[in-house]
Amino acid sequence: MSRMKYKLFRMLGLVLIFITTSVIFTGWTHYSGESFLRTQTSGGYKPCRKLMTSQGSMAFVEELLHDNVTYDLGLLPSWSASRIYLDKNGSIHLGDVFTVTVRLYDGYNRPMYRGGDMLAIMMQNYSYGAGSVGHVVDHHNGSYTGILRALWTGSVAISVRILYPREALSTYLKHMGPYSPGKTIMCVFQNDNARSETFGYPSVEPFRGIPFCNMTSENYGLAWYCVKPNNPLVCHDWVQFTSQPNNDTQWTNKKIKDFYLMAKRARRIRDTISVIILGRPGTTMATAAETLCTSPDISETWTQPYTSGFFYRREWYSMACSVKIDEHSLRKCLSNRRLHILGDSTVRQFFSNLYERLNMTMVTEKWTVRTWHRYTESQNRDMKFTMSWAPHELPLYYNGNRASARPLYVNIDDIPSGSNDIVIIHIYVHFRFHHPSVFRESIRRAAQATRRLMRRSPRAVVGIKGTHYFRFSKDEIDAGFGLVYDAIIREEFSDMFSRVILINEWDLILASDILVLHPPAWLVKLLVDSFLGYACSL
């Protein structure tokens, strides 16, 4: 491809985000992607949940696209000038729900009057090994309300982290395209005589005026386009995909790039609040959290009003109806069944966890590298249990065979009628470099396939792992749009809250304060057991 075409391709990529106006993009009006309304009950302050509409989401993205970002670091929310206030007068007892107010100020010590920041309200006691997160309400005027529950007695420290300011999201969104910071996906064309690599992207817009291959039909109906290879190669010679570092990015303006890299840094507001929770020393809400269930309500995994759980003495306690699972009940549950794990490397960790715990044997080839990217199947013959992991659809940022990138919905549709299979699905990390409409389309199709599965196989059990917050030292976006994707999942699965189990990783990871992409093994086990506790009770 000539240098002139290369420049044209890059310039066209810049306008992609501005002309994609027909898609539904989900923003958030606050921390969890839902609106909270205050209602008074006999128990005191209680937030009610109301899912956002797509119109609100479109309004949010339009605001971001039209934000007048001046690239002045002094106009960002200031960790030193912003303030936190405890709203409750008087004592706080174990089990009480209370609120804090966050007021953001910029670096010039001036109050801010817009919303859209990603905040986390943390309640911790490191000596107890205790931690939880609260829900955050965005009032769209520079102030936020954090809703917390007193989950253990004794001292707690309440703090606020600015995970991602609005200006960072706006800047990245405006510069999103095939040359976004990070990596670029390449289409590999090959036959017996030639090989070529060209740019690939899930939208046709950057290819206007450039010869391209429409690979949508080969990509199972999901949009995918590649720059057309040179002769003698043709479009049908597409065999693989790969990724390469994107050294020539859109960030031609060093001032903008430097601003973004500084703006996206997480900052803890200097103000903290110390509170004493009254009650019998050493007691927690664990008793309430450990309520045993004979018929668990799956919808609770989606609708916990304050927080999905908390750590105490480094043990996790779910606030939903808790279902304990031990190794005996695990083996009993999974015997004579099949578990399909579909998604990225974070659910590949689920596969590894169960593979070791159940002494399974590989049916497909053994892994020769830790970062395995091909379909894998294992079994335990004594249990008559089969487990598989399959990577999701494009975009994928590694080297792989085109046929291996099968969409979630295709794999779900392959499950036969009348089965009692268990399915875990998840996409997230590889989609972060693309417009959220790409994520929405894949999740929407997965939701449609899930409905079809439930009609033909009522005994099948489906879980979806949500997004989680993490930081990469060299990553250009981290989890910046994580809550946008969380809201998309909730919207697309809103009619299946009573049938699909949500694995809420966002609360657990923030409460653990281990903010990495791939959690350690003990956290993975918590997530696996949390899901299977529900799945095995149905």
Side-chain angles (χ1 to χ4, degrees):
M1 185 168 59
S2 68
R3 185 65 178 174
M4 182 176 296
K5 287 183 178 179
Y6 178 90
K7 289 294 186 181
L8 177 61
F9 185 51
R10 182 170 67 182
M11 292 174 64
L12 288 168
L14 283 167
V15 302
L16 167 65
I17 194 67
F18 295 98
I19 60 182
T20 308
T21 58
S22 62
V23 297
I24 299 177
F25 172 101
T26 299
W28 65 89
T29 54
H30 62 86
Y31 176 72
S32 67
E34 298 165 283
S35 299
F36 285 85
L37 305 176
R38 298 188 183 194
T39 60
Q40 290 297 323
T41 69
S42 59
Y45 184 95
K46 182 178 181 180
C48 296
R49 291 173 176 247
K50 181 181 179 181
L51 288 174
M52 294 188 307
T53 64
S54 58
Q55 290 179 337
S57 303
M58 286 302 295
F60 178 74
V61 71
E62 286 300 316
E63 289 176 5
L64 286 178
L65 290 172
H66 293 92
D67 278 358
N68 181 24
V69 181
T70 63
Y71 311 115
D72 179 353
L73 293 172
L75 296 178
L76 295 174
S78 168
W79 65 274
S80 58
S82 298
R83 296 289 181 262
I84 312 170
Y85 308 97
L86 181 65
D87 296 330
K88 183 178 179 64
N89 293 321
S91 58
I92 299 176
H93 294 80
L94 182 67
D96 284 354
V97 176
F98 62 98
T99 64
V100 297
T101 294
V102 181
R103 193 70 182 91
L104 296 184
Y105 288 78
D106 66 20
Y108 300 107
N109 204 29
R110 299 176 303 193
M112 306 189 76
Y113 295 102
R114 88 292 178 273
D117 303 285
M118 183 195 293
L119 304 183
I121 308 290
M122 318 290 293
M123 187 169 72
Q124 297 166 310
N125 183 311
Y126 286 110
S127 63
Y128 294 169
S132 71
V133 295
H135 285 301
V136 180
V137 182
D138 184 346
H139 300 293
H140 309 290
N141 59 5
S143 67
Y144 298 78
T145 296
I147 307 172
L148 296 155
R149 192 172 189 185
L151 297 168
W152 61 85
T153 58
S155 62
V156 300
I158 300 168
S159 62
V160 177
R161 289 180 182 175
I162 305 170
L163 301 179
Y164 240 87
R166 179 191 181 107
E167 291 80 3
L169 294 174
S170 176
T171 301
Y172 191 85
L173 190 61
K174 291 177 180 180
H175 290 80
M176 186 177 286
Y179 291 88
S180 295
K183 297 180 179 179
T184 298
I185 296 179
M186 308 295 289
C187 304
V188 179
F189 297 87
Q190 186 172 346
N191 60 25
D192 292 338
N193 301 313
R195 174 187 170 93
S196 177
E197 295 184 6
T198 69
F199 292 100
Y201 202 68
S203 170
V204 70
E205 298 301 338
F207 298 87
R208 301 300 185 187
I210 298 174
F212 65 89
C213 300
N214 184 349
M215 312 307 299
T216 300
S217 60
E218 289 86 347
N219 196 42
Y220 303 92
L222 293 171
W224 194 261
Y225 303 86
C226 307
V227 174
K228 190 174 183 179
N230 295 326
N231 291 329
L233 295 167
V234 296
C235 293
H236 290 297
D237 290 324
W238 181 35
V239 294
Q240 292 178 307
F241 59 89
T242 185
S243 65
Q244 67 178 23
N246 190 4
N247 297 319
D248 189 5
T249 71
Q250 291 181 15
W251 302 93
T252 54
N253 187 317
K254 187 176 184 299
K255 177 182 178 182
I256 296 177
K257 179 179 180 179
D258 291 345
F259 168 83
Y260 172 75
L261 293 177
M262 290 294 294
K264 79 182 190 75
R265 292 183 178 180
R267 294 170 174 83
R268 188 191 299 268
I269 292 177
R270 184 169 59 185
D271 263 7
T272 59
I273 298 174
S274 296
V275 175
I276 301 297
I277 307 298
L278 300 179
R280 185 162 57 86
T283 58
T284 72
M285 290 296 292
T287 301
E290 291 183 315
T291 302
L292 296 178
C293 308
T294 55
S295 299
D297 182 1
I298 287 178
S299 64
E300 286 188 346
T301 63
W302 299 86
T303 59
Q304 280 300 299
Y306 312 112
T307 182
S308 63
F310 65 99
F311 280 101
Y312 190 80
R313 303 296 183 193
R314 295 174 178 81
E315 292 288 334
W316 176 254
Y317 298 95
S318 172
M319 295 307 296
C321 191
S322 180
V323 184
K324 296 294 184 181
I325 188 163
D326 55 25
E327 297 305 307
H328 173 74
S329 57
L330 176 64
R331 289 176 177 271
K332 181 180 178 180
C333 166
L334 297 179
S335 293
N336 300 296
R337 300 186 84 166
R338 185 181 186 102
L339 170 61
H340 309 263
I341 303 176
L342 310 173
D344 62 23
S345 57
T346 63
V347 287
R348 188 180 63 207
Q349 290 183 283
F350 287 24
F351 179 95
S352 297
N353 175 270
L354 289 171
Y355 182 86
E356 294 179 3
R357 290 167 65 181
L358 298 176
N359 299 315
M360 302 191 71
T361 303
M362 284 291 187
V363 176
T364 54
E365 59 185 313
K366 292 184 178 180
W367 295 0
T368 56
V369 293
R370 183 176 59 86
T371 55
W372 192 256
H373 294 137
R374 294 196 290 274
Y375 174 83
T376 296
E377 185 172 309
S378 64
Q379 66 179 7
N380 183 311
R381 291 185 178 180
D382 294 336
M383 295 172 56
K384 297 181 181 179
F385 170 59
T386 301
M387 176 176 64
S388 61
W389 171 79
H392 60 70
E393 60 264 43
L394 291 169
L396 286 167
Y397 287 87
Y398 56 76
N399 303 335
N401 187 298
R402 178 177 65 82
S404 68
R406 303 180 81 230
L408 297 179
Y409 87 87
V410 173
N411 284 303
I412 296 171
D413 281 340
D414 282 346
I415 298 173
S417 299
S419 74
N420 65 343
D421 294 1
I422 301 174
V423 187
I424 299 174
I425 62 176
H426 174 73
I427 57 174
Y428 172 33
V429 174
H430 294 266
F431 285 77
R432 294 169 302 128
F433 303 103
H434 298 271
H435 192 283
S437 61
V438 179
F439 178 86
R440 179 184 283 278
E441 181 62 23
S442 287
I443 286 294
R444 176 169 292 165
R445 294 199 182 208
Q448 292 167 348
T450 299
R451 295 184 189 97
R452 293 191 290 269
L453 172 63
M454 290 178 173
R455 286 194 295 269
R456 69 178 183 272
S457 300
R459 293 185 301 146
V461 179
V462 179
I464 182 167
K465 185 169 84 73
T467 62
H468 72 283
Y469 181 76
F470 64 90
R471 304 295 296 194
F472 267 167
S473 59
K474 296 182 180 179
D475 201 289
E476 298 287 358
I477 185 61
D478 300 311
F481 286 97
L483 289 176
V484 175
Y485 292 163
D486 176 83
I488 290 173
I489 291 170
R490 291 172 182 273
E491 290 178 0
E492 296 301 330
F493 282 84
S494 61
D495 62 328
M496 292 183 280
F497 283 5
S498 63
R499 295 293 308 278
V500 176
I501 301 165
L502 174 66
I503 306 170
N504 187 340
E505 191 173 3
W506 192 275
D507 287 0
L508 185 144
I509 291 297
L510 279 173
S512 74
D513 214 15
I514 302 176
L515 310 179
V516 295
L517 174 59
H518 294 102
W522 66 275
L523 279 178
V524 173
K525 184 178 184 298
L526 284 177
L527 292 166
V528 171
D529 287 356
S530 173
F531 166 72
L532 290 177
Y534 280 96
C536 295
S537 300
L538 300 178

